[in-house]
Amino acid sequence: MWFTYLMIYLEKVLKFRSSRAGLLMLIGQVTDAVSTPIIGIASDSSVLPKIFDKIGRRMSWHIIGTIFVSISFPFIFNRCLFCSEDQSEWLKVLWFIPFIMVFQFGWASVQTSHLALIPELSSLDSSRTTMNSLRYSFTVVANLSVFLVLARFLSENTHQSQIGPADFQHFRTAGFLVVAGGLAVTMLFYLLVREPKFGRRLSRAHSFSSDASELVRMHWTSWFGHIQFYQIALLYMLSRLYVNISQVYFPFYITLTQNYEKKYVAIFPMVSYLSSFL
């Protein structure tokens, strides 16, 4: 919902200038970029209070991220609660900045700790691959749920074919539903998954193999000495760049260039996501 609908929500529903809507998106992405490696390093160490030891390093950061996301996301797809219609747009922009930064920190915390939990749960490559596949599949299901909800909401108002201020309630309600649904699934995750008491913090010094006979402790800076690290990073960056840009501009292309009705802002991305199962 962040990539697909934030820009069009800010520009078409709240009537922000394109440059200021883009600035808010940029602030969020910079926060994410800074937070992700910091949280990764922190989750590998013992920076949290001892009370979190029973929960586990990864699960602790996952819980922290869940709290941050839950309290901030409903304010993003909302209005400035203390701003009047005639107040400066910059004041409204400033209202959103802390919520976006908190959300992106929480999002980075959830994503990083969730990924880092996979090698803690199993040392088998086949099991890790399966868990990663399931993780992506449920990500697609989550996105499809958002598209279904918005397709339903945006189909209600037939008097206005394009997204506008009249759709504020639809996006705000969708934001609340996303948080509620996410919390429900997260609680189920906490009930079913337990982080091993002693995490697998060893990796081979010069290989990505999991041969236990050659395992040594590995500092995070050691990754910079592996060529495969740069190959994977470049491949992931380019693929995410393609996906994120297409998600951001697809709704604008649908509504502004092709002049489809606003319900197709949810329907066409949903069709695109469904094709990923093929």
Side-chain angles (χ1 to χ4, degrees), residues 101-112:
M101 294 181 71
V102 170
F103 166 73
Q104 287 293 351
F105 176 84
W107 182 254
S109 182
V110 168
Q111 293 293 311
T112 303

Side-chain angles (χ1 to χ4, degrees), residues 39-73:
I39 293 170
I41 296 171
S43 68
D44 282 337
S45 58
S46 302
V47 298
L48 294 176
K50 293 294 183 181
I51 192 174
F52 289 97
D53 288 348
K54 293 183 179 180
I55 304 174
R57 295 172 298 135
R58 313 302 185 189
M59 294 293 280
S60 296
W61 281 101
H62 194 282
I63 292 172
I64 292 171
T66 299
I67 294 172
F68 275 52
V69 168
S70 300
I71 63 177
S72 60
F73 192 76

Side-chain angles (χ1 to χ4, degrees), residues 15 43 70 79 94 110 134 188 228:
K15 296 299 182 181
S43 68
S70 300
R79 289 195 180 108
L94 291 174
V110 168
L134 289 172
L188 184 63
Q228 194 173 357

Side-chain angles (χ1 to χ4, degrees), residues 85-273:
E85 292 295 331
D86 58 346
Q87 281 186 310
S88 169
E89 190 175 280
W90 276 112
L91 183 62
K92 299 175 184 178
V93 170
L94 291 174
W95 163 265
F96 283 100
I97 289 176
F99 295 112
I100 287 175
M101 294 181 71
V102 170
F103 166 73
Q104 287 293 351
F105 176 84
W107 182 254
S109 182
V110 168
Q111 293 293 311
T112 303
S113 58
H114 195 261
L115 275 172
L117 185 61
I118 291 177
E120 305 277 5
L121 295 175
S122 176
S123 59
L124 298 176
D125 289 341
S126 58
S127 297
R128 294 177 180 181
T129 301
T130 300
M131 285 189 282
N132 269 312
S133 299
L134 289 172
R135 183 178 186 273
Y136 177 74
S137 296
F138 279 99
T139 300
V140 173
V141 170
N143 281 290
L144 290 176
S145 301
V146 174
F147 295 143
L148 284 171
V149 169
L150 277 173
R152 175 69 178 85
F153 287 163
L154 295 177
S155 299
E156 290 179 354
N157 186 0
T158 57
H159 301 291
Q160 187 177 3
S161 61
Q162 298 297 317
I163 292 177
D167 296 301
F168 166 73
Q169 188 66 37
H170 297 149
F171 282 95
R172 183 172 67 174
T173 304
F176 283 123
L177 290 176
V178 165
V179 172
L183 283 174
V185 176
T186 301
M187 292 302 108
L188 184 63
F189 171 71
Y190 293 152
L191 289 173
L192 297 178
V193 178
R194 291 289 183 272
E195 181 178 344
K197 189 173 182 180
F198 301 102
R200 299 177 177 86
R201 304 177 65 180
L202 300 178
S203 298
R204 283 188 62 182
H206 303 294
S207 173
F208 291 85
S209 171
S210 57
D211 186 356
S213 63
E214 301 185 46
L215 291 177
V216 296
R217 290 197 177 276
M218 186 176 182
H219 193 264
W220 66 270
T221 56
S222 301
W223 287 102
F224 297 108
H226 291 279
I227 186 64
Q228 194 173 357
F229 170 78
Y230 298 98
Q231 293 172 338
I232 294 174
L234 181 63
L235 179 62
Y236 181 78
M237 181 190 70
L238 293 176
S239 61
R240 288 303 305 176
L241 182 65
Y242 171 79
V243 171
N244 292 347
I245 289 178
S246 63
Q247 284 182 317
V248 170
Y249 290 108
F250 200 16
F252 289 102
Y253 177 77
I254 293 169
T255 56
L256 300 182
T257 305
Q258 299 300 315
N259 292 317
Y260 283 104
E261 293 183 9
K262 58 186 177 182
K263 63 182 179 181
Y264 291 102
V265 170
I267 293 174
F268 285 160
M270 181 168 56
V271 172
S272 176
Y273 259 89

